[in-house]
Amino acid sequence: QASRLAELPYSSFDNDEDDDTAEQDPGVWYPGPPKLSPFSHCVRYLAFLWNLLFLLLGLLTLAVGVWGLLAKSPLPGGVSLSSDPMLLFVLAGLGASAVSLAGCLGAFRASPCLLRFFLGAVLAFGGLEVLGGLLLLLARRRLQDVLQDLLLLCLLRYQEDPDLQFLVDELQRSLQCCGLESYHDWESNPYFNCSAPGAQACGVPASCCQEPLQNGSVPNIQCGFGVLGLGAAAAGAVVHTGGCGAALGAWLRGQAGAIAAAATVLLLLEAVGALMALRVLRDV
């Protein structure tokens, strides 16, 4: 019987023993990953902290947008959620939070999938920013027309949306202007038209006034009442008669250098985050 067993072909039990030996010593067939250098560890921690900072900023932006939407609940009649300015904060916060969270988890868990998603999103955002900047340079005249149309829309919906009312008031106070081309543009608003009922008829908002504070401290919300019924000289003594369209265009031209510098800094920040993610991905 022993001689017959010796003559039998190689059995599968021998293969099992060899497999067990290979499983007991996997380093022979599957060498372990290389040990990361201190620099790689440092880059990984910096990538995590970098994305954590932008995650917090994104969540803060999202919270501001949600708070702005809930503060106006229920929404005024005729104002749809899709046209609410605070929706921009919500969308920006969601986008920044999602991308930054992917970068955080990708660096923390060394996940190639999340790191690739983060890199793709950063490259997409950077490309859109560069494309938007080029379009603004090529269509500066068209941009001015778009801004004027937006200002006119804000004037028409001044009393219907608290956010637009706040933006228009801040714009008129800071630039010392009134209306789009002149203070007479407020006649197109149904609440300030001279034929409208109420105390605001034939008037302008208090943000148009040259002295919106009474006695230097108390806001005078009635300082613009009846201004549209006055002559140009009398109205000029009470409110700013120049329009905000030209003033806003001049301000934007004066701030072109600061806007370009801010856009460049943003692109550099995104590039630094992408480079760190690439380093972590290469080490993974």
Side-chain angles (χ1 to χ4, degrees):
Q1 293 179 352
S3 61
R4 291 180 179 179
L5 290 176
E7 293 175 358
L8 289 176
Y10 189 69
S11 66
S12 61
F13 295 100
D14 297 330
N15 291 332
D16 294 340
E17 293 178 357
D18 294 338
D19 293 341
D20 294 338
T21 305
E23 291 177 0
Q24 293 174 1
D25 191 9
V28 176
W29 306 104
Y30 305 101
K35 185 178 180 181
L36 296 179
S37 64
F39 178 74
S40 298
H41 282 292
C42 182
V43 171
R44 184 173 175 182
Y45 295 145
L46 284 177
F48 173 77
L49 295 176
W50 188 271
N51 288 284
L52 180 61
L53 174 62
F54 283 95
L55 174 61
L56 295 177
L57 292 177
L59 291 177
L60 179 61
T61 305
L62 177 61
V64 171
V66 173
W67 172 80
L69 292 176
L70 295 179
K72 295 185 296 182
S73 181
L75 293 174
V79 179
S80 62
L81 182 62
S82 59
S83 62
D84 196 291
M86 300 305 294
L87 188 61
L88 295 177
F89 287 88
V90 175
L91 295 178
L94 281 176
S97 300
V99 175
S100 300
L101 181 61
C104 279
L105 295 178
F108 182 74
R109 301 288 298 177
S111 173
C113 181
L114 291 176
L115 289 173
R116 292 191 182 97
F117 170 77
F118 172 77
L119 286 172
V122 170
L123 291 177
F125 287 153
L128 290 176
E129 291 167 6
V130 173
L131 180 61
L134 293 177
L135 291 178
L136 290 179
L137 291 177
L138 296 175
R140 287 178 293 181
R141 180 61 182 175
R142 180 57 182 169
L143 176 62
Q144 185 175 358
D145 296 337
V146 171
L147 290 177
Q148 290 183 355
D149 293 340
L150 290 177
L151 284 176
L152 182 59
L153 178 63
C154 292
L155 295 183
L156 295 176
R157 295 178 50 188
Y158 177 80
Q159 298 285 17
E160 300 175 1
D161 195 314
D163 295 324
L164 294 180
Q165 183 175 352
F166 173 78
L167 292 176
V168 171
D169 287 339
E170 290 298 319
L171 181 66
Q172 294 188 145
R173 289 193 190 99
S174 58
L175 298 181
Q176 296 183 352
C177 57
C178 187
L180 179 59
E181 298 181 356
S182 71
Y183 70 103
H184 286 290
D185 292 330
W186 283 104
E187 294 180 359
S188 59
N189 187 286
Y191 295 92
F192 293 99
N193 190 278
C194 292
S195 61
Q200 293 179 332
C202 217
V204 295
S207 56
C208 290
C209 297
Q210 296 185 7
E211 297 181 359
L213 298 180
Q214 187 177 6
N215 298 326
S217 59
V218 181
N220 184 9
I221 60 175
Q222 300 180 358
C223 61
F225 285 7
V227 169
L228 295 178
L230 302 178
V238 179
V239 299
H240 302 288
T241 57
C244 295
L248 180 60
W251 181 84
L252 289 175
R253 288 190 294 270
Q255 300 295 323
I259 296 174
T264 303
V265 170
L266 180 60
L267 287 175
L268 289 177
L269 292 176
E270 293 175 352
V272 170
L275 290 176
M276 289 191 295
L278 278 174
R279 175 70 187 198
V280 176
L281 184 59
R282 192 187 71 173
D283 294 335
V284 172

